[in-house]
């Protein structure tokens, strides 16, 4: 089991250096490490102190590959229609990603050894906000200990299908909100730019 010996980063360092990582070693994560990340996640602010989150952890590589295959075939079917409709004005990044999905050996989870799905119970209008705040906490905590993460938004639709929910033990009234892969990074993350903050008003 991979145990990180990485020196902990400060919050400011983790914010500045966290990147979405799309290549992982096969080193598994130990349960204590995953529990540490979940504990960080639940420290997030939560509307009305509702704590609507619940977590699914998948470390079974075969199951991740099976879910990836289902997600890919469902996206390919869904987007055929969309591609025809919007052929003229389509978004290049989206189009590139759709082309990648068509490769047989592409795994939407990038071969990461763990997927953590942050799920939300429908208790308030802020469930999604709460879950995404928990997601950022989890990703920064992972980054601080030298682990890599990537949000896998493309898994959300398949994770919310009745069959996959049943397989993962997600109750019918609970939604999969934020799927995040975690693992030991393979190689360096390419730099990613950001536009400077656009300030609309500063009175
Ligand atoms: C809601 C959401 C969904 C995302 N879905 C995916 C995805 O399905 N696959 C992927 O490789 N990256 C996904 N990402 C990662 C973004 O591509 C990434 O955050 C963005 O390119 C900025 O790069 P950075 O995270 O390295 O700063 C997602 C990010 C967010 C916030």
């Amino acid at each position: 089991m991979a145990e990180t010996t990485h020196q902990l980063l400060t919050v400011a360092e983790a914010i500045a250096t966290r990147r979405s990582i799309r290549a992982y070693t096969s080193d598994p994560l130990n349960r204590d490490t995953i529990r540490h990340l979940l504990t960080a996640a639940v420290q997030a602010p939560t509307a009305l102190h509702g704590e609507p989150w619940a977590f699914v952890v998948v470390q079974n590589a075969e199951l991740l590959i099976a879910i990836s295959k289902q997600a890919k075939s469902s996206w390919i079917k869904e987007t055929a229609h969309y591609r025809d409709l919007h052929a003229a004005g389509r978004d290049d990044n989206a189009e590139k990603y759709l082309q990648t999905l068509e490769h047989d050996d592409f795994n939407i989870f990038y071969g990461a050894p763990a997927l953590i799905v942050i799920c939300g119970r429908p208790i308030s209008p802020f469930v999604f906000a709460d879950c995404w705040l928990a997601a950022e906490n989890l990703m920064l905590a992972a980054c601080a200990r030298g682990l890599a993460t990537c949000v896998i938004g493309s898994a959300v639709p398949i994770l919310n299908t009745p069959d996959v929910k049943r397989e993962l033990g997600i109750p019918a009234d609970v939604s999969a909100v934020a799927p995040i892969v975690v693992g030991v990074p393979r190689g360096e993350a390419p730099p990613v730019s950001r536009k400077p903050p656009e300030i609309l008003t500063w009175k």
Side-chain angles (χ1 to χ4, degrees), residues 7-102:
Q7 197 184 344
L8 276 185
L9 302 183
T10 64
V11 174
E13 287 167 336
I15 289 172
T17 59
R18 181 216 55 82
R19 294 275 71 90
S20 294
I21 301 298
R22 300 184 175 86
Y24 292 85
T25 70
S26 55
D27 294 350
L29 295 183
N30 69 40
R31 286 182 169 239
D32 284 349
T33 301
I34 291 177
R35 283 189 193 287
H36 170 86
L37 300 180
L38 300 182
T39 302
V42 301
Q43 304 311 312
T46 168
L48 301 166
H49 210 131
E51 302 179 76
W53 37 60
F55 301 88
V56 168
V57 180
V58 184
Q59 292 188 275
N60 179 323
E62 281 174 19
L63 180 55
L64 288 175
I65 289 172
I67 297 173
S68 169
K69 283 190 177 151
Q70 290 180 61
K72 284 177 5 173
S73 73
S74 132
W75 274 114
I76 290 164
K77 268 187 229 139
E78 288 270 319
T79 53
H81 170 67
Y82 160 88
R83 271 170 152 169
D84 291 346
L85 276 179
H86 298 281
R90 69 190 164 217
D91 167 343
D92 277 354
N93 285 331
E95 180 58 28
K96 256 189 244 154
Y97 187 65
L98 291 176
Q99 283 171 13
T100 310
L101 286 178
E102 282 162 8

Side-chain angles (χ1 to χ4, degrees), residues 55-58 63 67 115 117 158-159 162-171 176:
F55 301 88
V56 168
V57 180
V58 184
L63 180 55
I67 297 173
L115 168 71
V117 186
I158 206 75
L159 291 171
D163 285 354
V164 175
K165 282 173 89 166
R166 202 172 308 115
E167 166 85 36
L168 297 181
I170 303 174

